[in-house]
Amino acid sequence: MLPQRHVFVCNQGKSCAKVGSAEVYAKFRALLKESGLKPGTMVTGCGSIGFCDRGVAVAVYPEQVWYSRVTVDDVDEIWRE
């Protein structure tokens, strides 16, 4: 089954690591596990998606919504949206 939604979290670059990308990624993974939306939704860590100078970046597909400067405190709101 292909996922209906895919969340990419930039967590493999040095810039993102300095501003909490591991925590942001872990929070998304925990929400995915709690939600029971798997396999319809995927959360994947990735390399730079172009906003390294703005902190942790998150992209949500197929909606093509992009977030920058994401902190762990933002994850719940992004997940609900």
Side-chain angles (χ1 to χ4, degrees):
M1 169 188 231
L2 293 175
Q4 297 172 338
R5 181 164 291 116
H6 200 150
V7 179
F8 294 93
V9 180
C10 183
N11 71 341
Q12 297 174 10
K14 292 178 184 177
S15 298
C16 290
K18 292 178 185 176
V19 291
S21 62
E23 293 83 6
V24 169
Y25 177 71
K27 177 75 177 204
F28 272 110
R29 296 289 299 171
L31 289 172
L32 176 62
K33 186 175 181 178
E34 292 170 14
S35 72
L37 293 175
K38 206 172 182 180
T41 301
M42 289 180 65
V43 174
T44 304
C46 64
S48 176
I49 54 177
F51 297 107
C52 295
D53 61 330
R54 297 184 186 169
V56 180
V58 173
V60 181
Y61 280 87
E63 291 85 351
Q64 298 182 26
V65 177
W66 293 61
Y67 300 91
S68 63
R69 297 185 183 124
V70 177
T71 68
V72 73
D73 294 333
D74 300 320
V75 174
D76 285 320
E77 182 178 353
I78 293 169
W79 187 260
R80 283 192 306 269
E81 290 181 12

